[in-house]
Amino acid sequence: MKLLKNFKGGVHPNYEKQHSEDKPIQVLPAPEVVVMPLQQHVGAPCDPVVKKGDQVLMGQVIGESSYAISAPVHSSVSGTVLAVEPRPSVTGRSVMSVVIQNDGQDTPIEEQQNPILKSSDPNQRIDVDGNLIRQAINAAGVVGLGGGAFPTAVKVTPPDTSHIEYLLINGSECEPYLTADQRVMEEYPDKVILGAKLLAKAAGAEKIIIAIESNKPEAIKILEKYAVPNEIEVITVVTKYPAGGERMLIKAVLNREVPSGGYPHEVGVLVHNVSTAWAVAETCLTGRPLIERVITVTGSGIKEPGNYLVRIGTPFKNIVEAAGGFNGQPERVLCGGPMMGLAQFNLDVPVVKATSGVLILTEKEAQKYEPLPCIKCARCVDVCPVYLMPLKLEAFAMNEMWEQAEEYGAMDCIECGCCTYICPSKRYLVHYIRLAKQEIIAARGKN
Ligand code: SF4
Ligand code: SF4
């Protein structure tokens, strides 16, 4: 039997993909009002370039920044700007947002960039210059759609000294419940391949590997049809959370270790999500910026779980309504999956570029625990995929010993939640480690 690509640590939660994995992507009509946060990415927030009362067109830039690490925000509908003001966001904080009344016309902006690709043939040789691809991705505001939200144009521009050998396309989608990436691979394999080739050209990568968890046999079968010897390879990785973490994927697929505090390009690799590849292909083929994405709406707390193509800026309440409404009384609504998702307390928050799903859990699914004393079983250490000692980090954070937390590698924590998941005492390990990271970053800013 062939051994699957694996990595150290990780856990096997209930995957619960059955709610939505067989549901084809449905297009959700644009809502009457969209809320477009001006910070949807890692880096500098955008400044608004429209004001209340302005008429805007679909795809028009409504926020931009002069900083190198940022991504412009575009209107996902045509209509009238109702307000430019702070609005609640999925992060729990208020974010300056442009609120737009949809006129229902979807009138596109005329001067949108010209498509840089003429043919949608996934087998074509990419002759377009890498610089032109980077410019197109940047102008379109594409960011990592796997949840990272790092500006894609910046990520495909590695430092001069680095040499990118592999572009790793991340199709693992290891978070339980979520199936949006799986459906993108199954329904838009040509765009995933084309996007991967464009990203590889932009980054100067020599080879493309598409890595998919073993629990998605259909996606593997479909994408294998496109694999080109010596150019694109489809590799099956073990179904284990968090296989989709960049470091885990690089270790599993290429047996390379990203150094502590380092970046994948330092070991000759770039990792991009399959939906990001899809978005890159879309923008290069149509000239349209990133104004929509595929998300999963799932959990036992929603009547019609499924996968939906939604406009960025669509409030969660519209999404819940489109998916048939709540199935009984929901216990918890999450933006994202159960391991790394953010709890939501206000359904007015909008879908942003990094929103991969909306998860609605019933009381039975959302188990609540009171933490008990640590019994020093070390299970949290065994499952940590980046070799940390979560019990120690938690103790440091509880005692505000930030320097010691840093010394013990708190900044390497990817906040995967495996330690919290496995802990028999149900301690809030990742919660405290996250706090330690925030304090360490704050202290670095003061020095
Ligand atoms: S898993 Fe929980 S109980 Fe066990 S050592 Fe870690 S923190 Fe303590
Ligand atoms: S310490 Fe961080 S990286 Fe390690 S298991 Fe816990 S959350 Fe994941």
Side-chain angles (χ1 to χ4, degrees):
M1 198 175 91
K2 198 177 156 195
L3 279 180
L4 295 176
K5 301 287 183 181
N6 205 341
F7 62 97
K8 185 235 163 221
V11 293
H12 294 281
N14 289 333
Y15 289 100
E16 299 291 339
K17 306 265 187 187
Q18 75 281 2
H19 298 277
S20 57
E21 65 186 343
D22 295 328
K23 305 281 173 63
I25 297 166
Q26 292 180 57
V27 179
L28 209 67
E32 287 180 11
V33 174
V34 291
V35 179
M36 311 294 298
L38 293 174
Q39 170 113 54
Q40 303 190 27
H41 48 268
V42 172
C46 292
D47 296 318
V49 295
V50 291
K51 59 184 186 316
K52 183 177 175 183
D54 283 358
Q55 298 296 308
V56 292
L57 299 170
M58 188 173 73
Q60 181 177 331
V61 174
I62 53 173
E64 58 190 6
S65 165
S66 56
Y67 285 86
I69 301 184
S70 189
V73 175
H74 305 77
S75 178
S76 61
V77 296
S78 56
T80 310
V81 175
L82 295 176
V84 180
E85 62 187 21
R87 285 287 180 106
S89 77
V90 291
T91 61
R93 291 189 298 269
S94 277
V95 173
M96 186 58 74
S97 304
V98 178
V99 184
I100 302 165
Q101 176 77 51
N102 182 5
D103 64 11
Q105 302 300 308
D106 279 352
T107 313
I109 185 153
E110 275 176 20
E111 62 270 24
Q112 76 184 2
Q113 55 169 319
N114 289 323
I116 62 169
L117 263 195
K118 301 278 175 281
S119 160
S120 61
D121 178 4
N123 295 317
Q124 69 186 282
R125 192 188 132 98
I126 306 293
D127 291 323
V128 186
D129 181 64
N131 266 329
L132 204 58
I133 300 169
R134 288 198 288 269
Q135 282 165 18
I137 297 172
N138 185 39
V142 178
V143 304
L145 297 190
F150 195 84
T152 303
V154 180
K155 204 169 170 183
V156 290
T157 313
D160 293 342
T161 49
S162 64
H163 171 71
I164 302 303
E165 199 179 342
Y166 290 99
L167 170 70
L168 211 46
I169 295 293
N170 187 352
S172 48
E173 199 169 45
C174 59
E175 262 279 357
Y177 285 92
L178 302 184
T179 56
D181 284 349
Q182 179 183 335
R183 293 307 310 186
V184 166
M185 288 188 280
E186 290 175 8
E187 296 184 47
Y188 307 125
D190 47 347
K191 302 260 175 72
V192 170
I193 294 291
L194 200 50
K197 288 168 89 168
L198 287 157
L199 284 164
K201 182 71 187 274
E206 291 165 15
K207 290 183 197 145
I208 299 169
I209 294 177
I210 303 177
I212 308 174
E213 270 191 349
S214 57
N215 62 355
K216 302 169 189 62
E218 190 61 22
I220 293 168
K221 198 169 85 190
I222 292 172
L223 280 169
E224 271 178 344
K225 281 193 204 150
Y226 290 89
V228 180
N230 300 322
E231 189 188 7
I232 299 177
E233 195 181 352
V234 178
I235 284 186
T236 307
V237 293
V238 66
T239 297
K240 184 168 71 165
Y241 178 86
E246 285 193 345
R247 286 160 183 252
M248 287 86 250
L249 206 60
I250 293 169
K251 176 70 183 162
V253 175
L254 298 165
N255 198 23
R256 294 182 187 186
E257 297 265 7
V258 179
S260 169
Y263 296 95
H265 68 74
E266 292 170 32
V267 294
V269 187
L270 280 188
V271 183
H272 287 273
N273 175 268
V274 283
S275 287
T276 311
W278 165 80
V280 166
E282 281 286 333
T283 200
C284 291
L285 281 169
T286 65
R288 232 187 3 248
L290 179 61
I291 57 169
E292 59 187 5
R293 67 156 298 156
V294 178
I295 66 166
T296 303
V297 185
T298 185
S300 298
I302 191 84
K303 282 194 181 139
E304 293 165 23
N307 301 288
Y308 298 88
L309 182 66
V310 303
R311 302 287 174 99
I312 307 293
T314 303
F316 276 26
K317 63 182 177 208
N318 295 66
I319 287 167
V320 167
E321 197 180 280
F326 290 131
N327 187 19
Q329 179 64 31
E331 176 64 26
R332 202 175 296 161
V333 176
L334 292 163
C335 174
M339 299 298 284
M340 291 187 80
L342 298 170
Q344 302 300 313
F345 304 95
N346 180 349
L347 292 183
D348 289 330
V349 295
V351 166
V352 291
K353 294 175 185 178
T355 306
S356 47
V358 179
L359 174 59
I360 296 111
L361 299 175
T362 57
E363 194 178 352
K364 195 171 155 214
E365 285 174 306
Q367 296 158 350
K368 287 188 199 155
Y369 299 100
E370 280 304 316
L372 296 168
C374 171
I375 56 168
K376 307 278 187 296
C377 66
R379 287 166 77 176
C380 55
V381 181
D382 292 342
V383 298
C384 179
V386 288
Y387 318 113
L388 299 177
M389 298 177 75
L391 75 164
K392 280 242 181 237
L393 293 171
E394 184 212 30
F396 290 141
M398 289 177 90
N399 291 296
E400 300 186 7
M401 296 163 70
W402 314 124
E403 278 179 23
Q404 288 86 343
E406 187 171 11
E407 213 175 291
Y408 273 72
M411 294 308 290
D412 281 337
C413 170
I414 59 166
E415 302 179 22
C416 64
C418 289
C419 49
T420 302
Y421 172 84
I422 208 74
C423 176
S425 296
K426 294 296 162 207
R427 301 192 61 76
Y428 298 140
L429 298 166
V430 66
H431 166 93
Y432 278 105
I433 298 168
R434 203 177 282 140
L435 177 69
K437 287 173 72 178
Q438 285 164 5
E439 292 292 335
I440 293 164
I441 290 168
R444 283 179 183 173
K446 283 182 203 153
N447 294 331

